[in-house]
Amino acid sequence: MNEKKQDDLIQFMKEGIKDMYEYKCEKQPKFGCLYIVTFSKKGVYDIIVNLFGTIGAYFTLGKTEDYDDQHKVAYEITVTDYGLDLSKYI
């Protein structure tokens, strides 16, 4: 996924979930993907079902226990590509 698509997806996420829960999002241009961490199970389902289902995203999902001092669990999502042209919607 190129950097433009990564930027578009970040903006789409900002508009789509509007601070409903805590998450981190990082571009990974070297690997052509977007790395997202959320700290609630509801956050994972909202992102995957509502956003990624809509845009036809290809992603992997992982879970890490004892992520840091604040968070006992973190859900990691790596998006490698998606089908919908988001530039029309942001």
Side-chain angles (χ1 to χ4, degrees):
M1 173 169 47
N2 64 37
E3 253 189 284
K4 169 77 169 103
K5 284 183 90 172
Q6 291 177 34
D7 291 336
D8 288 350
L9 182 54
I10 289 170
Q11 186 62 37
F12 186 72
M13 286 181 57
K14 284 181 183 177
E15 292 175 12
I17 56 181
K18 296 190 192 265
D19 300 325
M20 291 171 19
Y21 35 74
E22 186 181 2
Y23 71 96
K24 295 179 184 180
C25 188
E26 296 177 9
K27 293 192 306 186
Q28 301 289 323
K30 181 178 178 180
F31 300 107
C33 64
L34 195 66
Y35 177 72
I36 302 157
V37 176
T38 186
F39 304 103
S40 74
K41 194 174 260 189
K42 180 173 177 6
V44 171
Y45 294 131
D46 284 346
I47 291 171
I48 290 174
V49 174
N50 296 335
L51 294 178
F52 294 166
T54 302
I55 65 173
Y58 299 95
F59 62 90
T60 58
L61 176 64
K63 180 179 175 182
T64 302
E65 302 288 334
D66 296 321
Y67 183 76
D68 60 19
D69 292 339
Q70 283 184 298
H71 305 99
K72 294 297 178 197
V73 66
Y75 300 93
E76 301 160 332
I77 306 165
T78 304
V79 182
T80 54
D81 205 0
Y82 58 90
L84 188 65
D85 181 7
L86 294 178
S87 62
K88 299 177 192 177
Y89 304 101
I90 54 173

